[in-house]
Amino acid sequence: MADETTSLISTWRILRKRRTTAISVAVAIFSGVAIYTFTRVPVFQSESLLLMDNPTSVPLVQAQEKLDKEFAVSSSTSLATEIQILKSKSLITRAVDSLKQKYPTLDADVVAENIGIFQIEDAGVLSVAYRDVIPERVVAVLNALGKVYVDYSLETRRSQASNAIRFIEKKLPQAEKELQTASQELREFRTEKGISDPGQLATAMTEATLALQKQEEQANIAVQEAQQAYAIVQRRVGKSAEDAMTLSILSQNAQYQKYLEQLQETEYNYAIERARFKEANPAVKVLRERRDQLLGLVQAKARELLGAKEANRIAQSTLQESLTDGSIAENQPNVGTVPTTYESMQIKQVGDLLVTISDLKVRQVTLNGVRRALQETNAKMREVPALQDRYANLVRTYVLTETNYTNLKQKLEELTITEAQESSPWKVIEPPYLPDEQISPKTIPNLLIGLVAGALLGVGAALLLEL
């Protein structure tokens, strides 16, 4: 404690002894600082706030909303890039050029050196600061920069919309062509296969198969019944009569064969349509009437061909037998009635055989037609899975191409509207203020620093002289 007191007393004595030197150094330092401070040109600074994602600009379409999001600050990297763009000489030059008439000496390089842009915390807001020796010019430069930045944001968004429009217009014809191709393939498939929805084809084919199987069973029973009836009549008439009628007459008559072929084809079509539709269907009704008409023609033609010829043959044969046996005499007028009665019986039996043969042939034609239709239906049933897969692929391709084309058309309309809009995604939310206090030089802080520095240096000089 005594040593500290002694040291302070010694220092005080030195300062009293060297007070002239200490005061001179302190005054010199303070004076130098004061002269520097008062001879500097005052510098003023102001700032404005720029909202980079304007929430008051309500998007008119979805495309504009997407473009607005691109201007939003999503990361520090994108923000840093935007700040560097805003500090670029090209944008600053545009602002300076707008002020040339009022401030002809204003230089873009000087403005670039005195501008400061930084983000306010984590918000999408930038603070744009500028300093100059003229307060009014500070405000003018910040206003010009704000307008340039807002115009830049609008131009950038329009440029992006224009690029997107050109891209879509390039892709749209190809998308339209693909849609037309998919639509045509789907339409051709439906026309070729005669179906509108293969999803229901399996059910329809199953129902058709069951109906044809039932028809086949009924037709088979009908053929068996006709065969039994034919066998009974054949035993009464004899095999030679059948051969004479069926082989020599029916098989050689072109008109009869034509009617029979038409009846077979109509019976086949009738079986097909009955499997697909009900009896009340107009198409089924027309085929049934046609079948009945052809059946009548077949029977009528058979009677026309076989009835008269067979009756004449039997009459001549009977008459010849009577003459040979001497059973006919001129004095026996009732002898001629015997062969006539026999002839009538033979004609009736031939007619019965004709009806039986015709009915058997018709029923066999019906059975063959049903079996043919059943075979084709079974063949189509085996094709159903492949048809369903192909149809599903065609529908999926059509839906995808239609969706792609519709989306492109919608986006083109949205981008066209966006390109024509005037609202900018950026906005100056706080304009610059007119500064009334200089930021440089700082008079009072500088004088205080000069005073403290002068005192310390003065004491130091006095102590240095005593060494």
Side-chain angles (χ1 to χ4, degrees):
M1 187 66 180
D3 293 338
E4 292 180 359
T5 303
T6 302
S7 177
L8 290 174
I9 293 173
S10 175
T11 301
W12 175 250
R13 288 176 179 175
I14 293 173
L15 290 176
R16 288 183 61 186
K17 179 180 178 180
R18 300 291 184 180
R19 60 180 178 275
T20 303
T21 301
I23 293 173
S24 298
V25 172
V27 170
I29 296 299
F30 180 77
S31 300
V33 172
I35 292 171
Y36 173 82
T37 300
F38 289 111
T39 55
R40 296 297 93 190
V41 177
V43 177
F44 300 88
Q45 178 175 298
S46 182
E47 67 175 356
S48 62
L49 299 181
L50 181 65
L51 178 63
M52 298 188 68
D53 185 14
N54 184 4
T56 61
S57 177
V58 180
L60 297 181
V61 290
Q62 183 180 3
Q64 179 177 342
E65 183 179 8
K66 292 180 180 179
L67 289 175
D68 288 342
K69 289 181 180 179
E70 295 179 3
F71 285 91
V73 180
S74 58
S75 65
S76 58
T77 303
S78 61
L79 178 61
T81 302
E82 289 292 349
I83 290 176
Q84 293 302 318
I85 294 175
L86 297 181
K87 286 183 177 180
S88 64
K89 188 175 180 180
S90 60
L91 295 181
I92 294 177
T93 301
R94 288 168 58 179
V96 171
D97 291 341
S98 65
L99 299 174
K100 279 296 184 180
Q101 185 174 0
K102 187 174 182 180
Y103 301 102
T105 60
L106 191 61
D107 184 70
D109 293 330
V110 176
V111 173
E113 293 175 358
N114 292 279
I115 191 175
I117 303 176
F118 58 91
Q119 182 184 11
I120 298 180
E121 297 180 352
D122 294 330
V125 178
L126 293 181
S127 174
V128 182
Y130 178 68
R131 57 187 179 183
D132 201 338
V133 296
I134 303 176
E136 292 77 8
R137 191 161 63 186
V138 173
V139 176
V141 170
L142 288 176
N143 286 331
L145 287 174
K147 185 177 184 305
V148 169
Y149 292 159
V150 171
D151 292 342
Y152 158 75
S153 68
L154 183 58
E155 292 171 0
T156 304
R157 187 182 65 184
R158 285 179 175 175
S159 176
Q160 292 175 345
S162 299
N163 293 336
I165 288 174
R166 286 193 294 270
F167 175 79
I168 292 177
E169 288 178 343
K170 183 179 179 181
K171 293 292 184 181
L172 200 57
Q174 180 64 25
E176 184 177 5
K177 182 178 179 181
E178 292 176 355
L179 176 60
Q180 292 176 352
T181 301
S183 176
Q184 182 177 358
E185 290 178 352
L186 183 60
R187 185 168 53 253
E188 290 177 351
F189 175 83
R190 289 172 173 171
T191 303
E192 177 185 355
K193 302 302 178 181
I195 54 177
S196 59
D197 185 7
Q200 301 175 355
L201 181 60
T203 302
M205 295 299 292
T206 301
E207 294 176 354
T209 301
L210 294 176
L212 288 172
Q213 289 175 348
K214 184 177 180 180
Q215 292 180 34
E216 181 186 22
E217 181 180 356
Q218 294 174 350
N220 194 27
I221 294 173
V223 169
Q224 293 177 359
E225 293 175 349
Q227 287 175 343
Q228 293 176 358
Y230 170 74
I232 295 173
V233 176
Q234 185 184 30
R235 283 195 296 270
R236 288 199 300 248
V237 176
K239 183 173 180 57
S240 59
E242 176 189 1
D243 294 339
M245 288 183 295
T246 58
L247 297 179
S248 64
I249 300 177
L250 296 181
S251 62
Q252 295 179 6
N253 187 269
Q255 188 67 34
Y256 179 85
Q257 294 298 323
K258 179 179 179 182
Y259 287 154
L260 198 61
E261 291 175 359
Q262 292 179 356
L263 177 62
Q264 183 177 4
E265 183 66 23
T266 303
E267 188 65 39
Y268 166 73
N269 294 331
Y270 175 64
I272 289 291
E273 294 301 320
R274 281 189 61 191
R276 295 176 57 191
F277 306 105
K278 296 181 178 180
E279 285 290 339
N281 187 273
V284 177
K285 185 177 179 181
V286 170
L287 289 173
R288 184 174 64 251
E289 293 175 352
R290 176 61 177 168
R291 182 200 64 179
D292 295 342
Q293 180 185 6
L294 289 172
L295 178 59
L297 291 174
V298 169
Q299 294 175 347
K301 191 65 176 178
R303 288 191 181 91
E304 176 186 346
L305 295 173
L306 296 180
K309 292 180 179 295
E310 187 66 18
N312 292 334
R313 186 186 68 79
I314 293 174
Q316 292 174 2
S317 175
T318 303
L319 181 60
Q320 183 66 32
E321 291 177 358
S322 299
L323 292 173
T324 303
D325 296 338
S327 59
I328 301 177
E330 294 181 358
N331 57 351
Q332 295 179 346
N334 60 340
V335 173
T337 60
V338 174
T340 303
T341 303
Y342 179 77
E343 178 182 359
S344 299
M345 293 176 61
Q346 290 294 317
I347 292 175
K348 183 178 183 304
Q349 291 178 353
V350 169
D352 293 340
L353 182 62
L354 171 63
V355 172
T356 305
I357 293 175
S358 178
D359 184 59
L360 177 59
K361 285 185 173 291
V362 169
R363 295 187 182 190
Q364 287 176 340
V365 167
T366 301
L367 179 59
N368 293 335
V370 172
R371 287 176 175 173
R372 178 183 170 189
L374 184 59
Q375 290 176 355
E376 293 189 1
T377 302
N378 290 333
K380 290 181 179 179
M381 278 288 292
R382 291 190 291 270
E383 297 177 358
V384 168
L387 290 176
Q388 289 178 331
D389 292 341
R390 183 183 174 190
Y391 181 79
N393 291 333
L394 291 175
V395 171
R396 181 166 53 253
T397 302
Y398 175 77
V399 171
L400 291 176
T401 54
E402 183 184 32
T403 302
N404 181 47
Y405 178 75
T406 302
N407 290 339
L408 288 176
K409 288 282 290 184
Q410 181 180 359
K411 289 178 181 178
L412 180 61
E413 294 175 358
E414 293 173 352
L415 290 169
T416 303
I417 297 175
T418 299
E419 187 181 31
Q421 289 178 359
E422 297 294 338
S423 58
S424 172
W426 292 3
K427 180 181 180 182
V428 177
I429 58 175
E430 184 176 321
Y433 57 88
L434 182 64
D436 54 1
E437 295 183 1
Q438 63 188 42
I439 61 169
S440 176
K442 299 180 180 179
T443 305
I444 295 178
N446 285 356
L447 293 178
L448 291 177
I449 292 173
L451 180 61
V452 173
L456 293 176
L457 291 175
V459 172
L463 294 175
L464 185 62
L465 290 176
E466 290 296 320
L467 293 179

mmCIF file with all atom_site columns, all heavy atoms in Angstrom, residues 96-107:
data_model
loop_
_atom_site.group_PDB
_atom_site.id
_atom_site.type_symbol
_atom_site.label_atom_id
_atom_site.label_alt_id
_atom_site.label_comp_id
_atom_site.label_asym_id
_atom_site.label_entity_id
_atom_site.label_seq_id
_atom_site.pdbx_PDB_ins_code
_atom_site.Cartn_x
_atom_site.Cartn_y
_atom_site.Cartn_z
_atom_site.occupancy
_atom_site.B_iso_or_equiv
_atom_site.pdbx_formal_charge
_atom_site.auth_seq_id
_atom_site.auth_comp_id
_atom_site.auth_asym_id
_atom_site.auth_atom_id
_atom_site.pdbx_PDB_model_num
ATOM 1  N N   . VAL A 1 96  ? -29.451 5.189  -62.260 1.00 0.00 ? 96  VAL A N   1
ATOM 2  C CA  . VAL A 1 96  ? -28.684 6.442  -62.414 1.00 0.00 ? 96  VAL A CA  1
ATOM 3  C C   . VAL A 1 96  ? -29.118 7.189  -63.666 1.00 0.00 ? 96  VAL A C   1
ATOM 4  O O   . VAL A 1 96  ? -29.255 8.423  -63.664 1.00 0.00 ? 96  VAL A O   1
ATOM 5  C CB  . VAL A 1 96  ? -27.180 6.137  -62.442 1.00 0.00 ? 96  VAL A CB  1
ATOM 6  C CG1 . VAL A 1 96  ? -26.380 7.379  -62.833 1.00 0.00 ? 96  VAL A CG1 1
ATOM 7  C CG2 . VAL A 1 96  ? -26.719 5.608  -61.092 1.00 0.00 ? 96  VAL A CG2 1
ATOM 8  N N   . ASP A 1 97  ? -29.381 6.455  -64.760 1.00 0.00 ? 97  ASP A N   1
ATOM 9  C CA  . ASP A 1 97  ? -29.801 7.097  -66.001 1.00 0.00 ? 97  ASP A CA  1
ATOM 10 C C   . ASP A 1 97  ? -31.133 7.837  -65.835 1.00 0.00 ? 97  ASP A C   1
ATOM 11 O O   . ASP A 1 97  ? -31.354 8.873  -66.483 1.00 0.00 ? 97  ASP A O   1
ATOM 12 C CB  . ASP A 1 97  ? -29.931 6.056  -67.109 1.00 0.00 ? 97  ASP A CB  1
ATOM 13 C CG  . ASP A 1 97  ? -28.575 5.505  -67.519 1.00 0.00 ? 97  ASP A CG  1
ATOM 14 O OD1 . ASP A 1 97  ? -27.552 6.163  -67.216 1.00 0.00 ? 97  ASP A OD1 1
ATOM 15 O OD2 . ASP A 1 97  ? -28.536 4.409  -68.126 1.00 0.00 ? 97  ASP A OD2 1
ATOM 16 N N   . SER A 1 98  ? -31.998 7.319  -64.971 1.00 0.00 ? 98  SER A N   1
ATOM 17 C CA  . SER A 1 98  ? -33.279 7.997  -64.756 1.00 0.00 ? 98  SER A CA  1
ATOM 18 C C   . SER A 1 98  ? -33.121 9.293  -63.961 1.00 0.00 ? 98  SER A C   1
ATOM 19 O O   . SER A 1 98  ? -34.051 10.117 -63.929 1.00 0.00 ? 98  SER A O   1
ATOM 20 C CB  . SER A 1 98  ? -34.251 7.057  -64.019 1.00 0.00 ? 98  SER A CB  1
ATOM 21 O OG  . SER A 1 98  ? -33.773 6.769  -62.705 1.00 0.00 ? 98  SER A OG  1
ATOM 22 N N   . LEU A 1 99  ? -31.937 9.483  -63.335 1.00 0.00 ? 99  LEU A N   1
ATOM 23 C CA  . LEU A 1 99  ? -31.690 10.698 -62.533 1.00 0.00 ? 99  LEU A CA  1
ATOM 24 C C   . LEU A 1 99  ? -30.708 11.649 -63.203 1.00 0.00 ? 99  LEU A C   1
ATOM 25 O O   . LEU A 1 99  ? -30.325 12.666 -62.594 1.00 0.00 ? 99  LEU A O   1
ATOM 26 C CB  . LEU A 1 99  ? -31.140 10.296 -61.149 1.00 0.00 ? 99  LEU A CB  1
ATOM 27 C CG  . LEU A 1 99  ? -32.060 9.429  -60.286 1.00 0.00 ? 99  LEU A CG  1
ATOM 28 C CD1 . LEU A 1 99  ? -31.331 9.001  -59.013 1.00 0.00 ? 99  LEU A CD1 1
ATOM 29 C CD2 . LEU A 1 99  ? -33.336 10.183 -59.931 1.00 0.00 ? 99  LEU A CD2 1
ATOM 30 N N   . LYS A 1 100 ? -30.275 11.340 -64.414 1.00 0.00 ? 100 LYS A N   1
ATOM 31 C CA  . LYS A 1 100 ? -29.253 12.151 -65.079 1.00 0.00 ? 100 LYS A CA  1
ATOM 32 C C   . LYS A 1 100 ? -29.705 13.595 -65.294 1.00 0.00 ? 100 LYS A C   1
ATOM 33 O O   . LYS A 1 100 ? -28.905 14.530 -65.238 1.00 0.00 ? 100 LYS A O   1
ATOM 34 C CB  . LYS A 1 100 ? -28.897 11.507 -66.428 1.00 0.00 ? 100 LYS A CB  1
ATOM 35 C CG  . LYS A 1 100 ? -27.909 10.362 -66.325 1.00 0.00 ? 100 LYS A CG  1
ATOM 36 C CD  . LYS A 1 100 ? -26.557 10.839 -65.795 1.00 0.00 ? 100 LYS A CD  1
ATOM 37 C CE  . LYS A 1 100 ? -25.542 9.718  -65.793 1.00 0.00 ? 100 LYS A CE  1
ATOM 38 N NZ  . LYS A 1 100 ? -24.233 10.181 -65.272 1.00 0.00 ? 100 LYS A NZ  1
ATOM 39 N N   . GLN A 1 101 ? -30.986 13.774 -65.565 1.00 0.00 ? 101 GLN A N   1
ATOM 40 C CA  . GLN A 1 101 ? -31.453 15.132 -65.826 1.00 0.00 ? 101 GLN A CA  1
ATOM 41 C C   . GLN A 1 101 ? -31.355 16.011 -64.578 1.00 0.00 ? 101 GLN A C   1
ATOM 42 O O   . GLN A 1 101 ? -31.018 17.186 -64.663 1.00 0.00 ? 101 GLN A O   1
ATOM 43 C CB  . GLN A 1 101 ? -32.906 15.088 -66.318 1.00 0.00 ? 101 GLN A CB  1
ATOM 44 C CG  . GLN A 1 101 ? -33.446 16.456 -66.736 1.00 0.00 ? 101 GLN A CG  1
ATOM 45 C CD  . GLN A 1 101 ? -34.836 16.354 -67.341 1.00 0.00 ? 101 GLN A CD  1
ATOM 46 O OE1 . GLN A 1 101 ? -35.390 15.262 -67.444 1.00 0.00 ? 101 GLN A OE1 1
ATOM 47 N NE2 . GLN A 1 101 ? -35.389 17.473 -67.742 1.00 0.00 ? 101 GLN A NE2 1
ATOM 48 N N   . LYS A 1 102 ? -31.607 15.409 -63.418 1.00 0.00 ? 102 LYS A N   1
ATOM 49 C CA  . LYS A 1 102 ? -31.570 16.181 -62.167 1.00 0.00 ? 102 LYS A CA  1
ATOM 50 C C   . LYS A 1 102 ? -30.181 16.194 -61.560 1.00 0.00 ? 102 LYS A C   1
ATOM 51 O O   . LYS A 1 102 ? -29.739 17.194 -60.984 1.00 0.00 ? 102 LYS A O   1
ATOM 52 C CB  . LYS A 1 102 ? -32.576 15.591 -61.187 1.00 0.00 ? 102 LYS A CB  1
ATOM 53 C CG  . LYS A 1 102 ? -32.742 16.421 -59.932 1.00 0.00 ? 102 LYS A CG  1
ATOM 54 C CD  . LYS A 1 102 ? -33.864 15.843 -59.061 1.00 0.00 ? 102 LYS A CD  1
ATOM 55 C CE  . LYS A 1 102 ? -34.086 16.696 -57.817 1.00 0.00 ? 102 LYS A CE  1
ATOM 56 N NZ  . LYS A 1 102 ? -35.168 16.145 -56.954 1.00 0.00 ? 102 LYS A NZ  1
ATOM 57 N N   . TYR A 1 103 ? -29.466 15.057 -61.674 1.00 0.00 ? 103 TYR A N   1
ATOM 58 C CA  . TYR A 1 103 ? -28.118 14.950 -61.115 1.00 0.00 ? 103 TYR A CA  1
ATOM 59 C C   . TYR A 1 103 ? -27.182 14.461 -62.207 1.00 0.00 ? 103 TYR A C   1
ATOM 60 O O   . TYR A 1 103 ? -26.845 13.269 -62.294 1.00 0.00 ? 103 TYR A O   1
ATOM 61 C CB  . TYR A 1 103 ? -28.088 13.977 -59.931 1.00 0.00 ? 103 TYR A CB  1
ATOM 62 C CG  . TYR A 1 103 ? -29.017 14.367 -58.801 1.00 0.00 ? 103 TYR A CG  1
ATOM 63 C CD1 . TYR A 1 103 ? -30.237 13.718 -58.629 1.00 0.00 ? 103 TYR A CD1 1
ATOM 64 C CD2 . TYR A 1 103 ? -28.681 15.386 -57.930 1.00 0.00 ? 103 TYR A CD2 1
ATOM 65 C CE1 . TYR A 1 103 ? -31.095 14.073 -57.603 1.00 0.00 ? 103 TYR A CE1 1
ATOM 66 C CE2 . TYR A 1 103 ? -29.528 15.753 -56.890 1.00 0.00 ? 103 TYR A CE2 1
ATOM 67 C CZ  . TYR A 1 103 ? -30.737 15.092 -56.743 1.00 0.00 ? 103 TYR A CZ  1
ATOM 68 O OH  . TYR A 1 103 ? -31.582 15.459 -55.721 1.00 0.00 ? 103 TYR A OH  1
ATOM 69 N N   . PRO A 1 104 ? -26.730 15.350 -63.069 1.00 0.00 ? 104 PRO A N   1
ATOM 70 C CA  . PRO A 1 104 ? -25.893 14.940 -64.220 1.00 0.00 ? 104 PRO A CA  1
ATOM 71 C C   . PRO A 1 104 ? -24.534 14.392 -63.818 1.00 0.00 ? 104 PRO A C   1
ATOM 72 O O   . PRO A 1 104 ? -23.930 13.639 -64.572 1.00 0.00 ? 104 PRO A O   1
ATOM 73 C CB  . PRO A 1 104 ? -25.760 16.225 -65.042 1.00 0.00 ? 104 PRO A CB  1
ATOM 74 C CG  . PRO A 1 104 ? -26.047 17.334 -64.086 1.00 0.00 ? 104 PRO A CG  1
ATOM 75 C CD  . PRO A 1 104 ? -27.015 16.801 -63.076 1.00 0.00 ? 104 PRO A CD  1
ATOM 76 N N   . THR A 1 105 ? -24.038 14.751 -62.638 1.00 0.00 ? 105 THR A N   1
ATOM 77 C CA  . THR A 1 105 ? -22.707 14.290 -62.217 1.00 0.00 ? 105 THR A CA  1
ATOM 78 C C   . THR A 1 105 ? -22.757 12.951 -61.499 1.00 0.00 ? 105 THR A C   1
ATOM 79 O O   . THR A 1 105 ? -21.708 12.412 -61.111 1.00 0.00 ? 105 THR A O   1
ATOM 80 C CB  . THR A 1 105 ? -22.069 15.333 -61.294 1.00 0.00 ? 105 THR A CB  1
ATOM 81 O OG1 . THR A 1 105 ? -22.903 15.526 -60.137 1.00 0.00 ? 105 THR A OG1 1
ATOM 82 C CG2 . THR A 1 105 ? -21.898 16.665 -62.014 1.00 0.00 ? 105 THR A CG2 1
ATOM 83 N N   . LEU A 1 106 ? -23.936 12.426 -61.308 1.00 0.00 ? 106 LEU A N   1
ATOM 84 C CA  . LEU A 1 106 ? -24.067 11.167 -60.585 1.00 0.00 ? 106 LEU A CA  1
ATOM 85 C C   . LEU A 1 106 ? -23.458 10.043 -61.405 1.00 0.00 ? 106 LEU A C   1
ATOM 86 O O   . LEU A 1 106 ? -23.715 9.915  -62.611 1.00 0.00 ? 106 LEU A O   1
ATOM 87 C CB  . LEU A 1 106 ? -25.545 10.870 -60.308 1.00 0.00 ? 106 LEU A CB  1
ATOM 88 C CG  . LEU A 1 106 ? -25.847 9.727  -59.342 1.00 0.00 ? 106 LEU A CG  1
ATOM 89 C CD1 . LEU A 1 106 ? -25.268 10.004 -57.963 1.00 0.00 ? 106 LEU A CD1 1
ATOM 90 C CD2 . LEU A 1 106 ? -27.354 9.492  -59.249 1.00 0.00 ? 106 LEU A CD2 1
ATOM 91 N N   . ASP A 1 107 ? -22.630 9.222  -60.762 1.00 0.00 ? 107 ASP A N   1
ATOM 92 C CA  . ASP A 1 107 ? -21.918 8.158  -61.463 1.00 0.00 ? 107 ASP A CA  1
ATOM 93 C C   . ASP A 1 107 ? -22.344 6.807  -60.899 1.00 0.00 ? 107 ASP A C   1
ATOM 94 O O   . ASP A 1 107 ? -22.493 6.631  -59.680 1.00 0.00 ? 107 ASP A O   1
ATOM 95 C CB  . ASP A 1 107 ? -20.404 8.335  -61.299 1.00 0.00 ? 107 ASP A CB  1
ATOM 96 C CG  . ASP A 1 107 ? -19.628 7.303  -62.092 1.00 0.00 ? 107 ASP A CG  1
ATOM 97 O OD1 . ASP A 1 107 ? -19.626 7.375  -63.326 1.00 0.00 ? 107 ASP A OD1 1
ATOM 98 O OD2 . ASP A 1 107 ? -19.044 6.412  -61.448 1.00 0.00 ? 107 ASP A OD2 1
#
